Amino acid sequence: MDKIKDTRSFMRVTHRYLGYFLAGIMAVYAVSGVLLIYRDTDFLKNEKKYDKVIAGNLSEKDLGKELKIKNLEVKKTEGPVLVFKQGTYNTATGEAKYIKKELPFVLDKMTKLHKSQSKETLSPLNTFFGIALFFFVISSFWMFNPKSKAFKRGMAYTAAGLVVALILLMV
């Protein structure tokens, strides 16, 4: 490994090797982040048919939770059968037949990684990744000599990026 003489060399070396180490996960987060932007559309999703038996006599709200369908709304009732946009549910037998649009397996796993919560097993990875990204932000200021033209130009771009981010947060 390279010799570390001072803070600047430490930041540069750590930034370099941490960047190489995290290149794969950064690609996953980039792709899954773009996919999450379009999660309210059918972009890249395939229809998957389900036919399963669940508890009977579920309320509309409980049915949505059980089938993992957000905002499930019963359109009509035909005897014991509830009809909703994605399919049907027989309250007497508990039989549910429905269709869901889902991302392909790998893309679905990527998006689940991206939006995981603290209770999930991958949360330490997400925390590490977030801290590493913050380190990239900080360490990038040690990439160039503060007296250089590149550093001064970089500071102008940093200020512009910060202003754009603040504007977008307020919109």
Side-chain angles (χ1 to χ4, degrees):
M1 181 128 24
D2 298 326
K3 290 203 175 193
I4 295 175
K5 302 171 224 140
D6 54 13
T7 303
R8 184 166 180 244
S9 65
F10 171 78
M11 291 295 197
R12 290 175 63 92
V13 169
T14 307
H15 184 104
R16 178 186 322 135
Y17 291 111
L18 189 59
Y20 288 140
F21 179 74
L22 292 176
I25 195 166
M26 283 191 267
V28 167
Y29 270 82
V31 170
S32 63
V34 171
L35 289 174
L36 285 171
I37 293 168
Y38 298 100
R39 67 183 169 263
D40 59 339
T41 69
D42 293 336
F43 179 61
L44 297 178
K45 292 181 180 175
N46 303 317
E47 278 191 4
K48 190 169 182 187
K49 294 180 182 182
Y50 290 92
D51 189 359
K52 61 183 185 178
V53 177
I54 57 175
N57 296 317
L58 292 177
S59 68
E60 190 173 323
K61 185 179 178 181
D62 291 336
L63 179 60
K65 282 183 183 177
E66 184 70 30
L67 301 180
K68 296 180 180 146
I69 297 176
K70 290 183 181 178
N71 304 320
L72 183 135
E73 183 180 328
V74 174
K75 301 285 185 192
K76 63 182 176 177
T77 304
E78 298 171 350
V81 178
L82 302 179
V83 179
F84 50 97
K85 181 181 175 183
Q86 298 87 344
T88 61
Y89 167 66
N90 188 320
T91 56
T93 63
E95 182 180 26
K97 293 181 181 183
Y98 59 100
I99 296 172
K100 284 175 80 174
K101 293 193 177 190
E102 298 175 344
L103 288 169
F105 180 77
V106 173
L107 296 179
D108 185 54
K109 289 293 183 187
M110 288 169 66
T111 57
K112 284 187 171 114
L113 169 68
H114 196 114
K115 60 181 186 178
S116 71
Q117 299 174 359
S118 61
K119 63 186 173 189
E120 295 177 26
T121 56
L122 289 173
S123 65
L125 173 66
N126 291 342
T127 302
F128 170 72
F129 185 63
I131 292 167
L133 285 179
F134 189 69
F135 173 80
F136 284 154
V137 170
I138 302 302
S139 66
S140 65
F141 294 105
W142 274 270
M143 295 295 119
F144 297 96
N145 187 333
K147 295 176 185 160
S148 71
K149 191 175 183 179
F151 183 83
K152 291 175 184 169
R153 191 176 299 134
M155 293 308 291
Y157 276 93
T158 300
L162 186 59
V163 168
V164 168
L166 291 173
I167 289 170
L168 291 175
L169 283 174
M170 301 304 163
V171 173

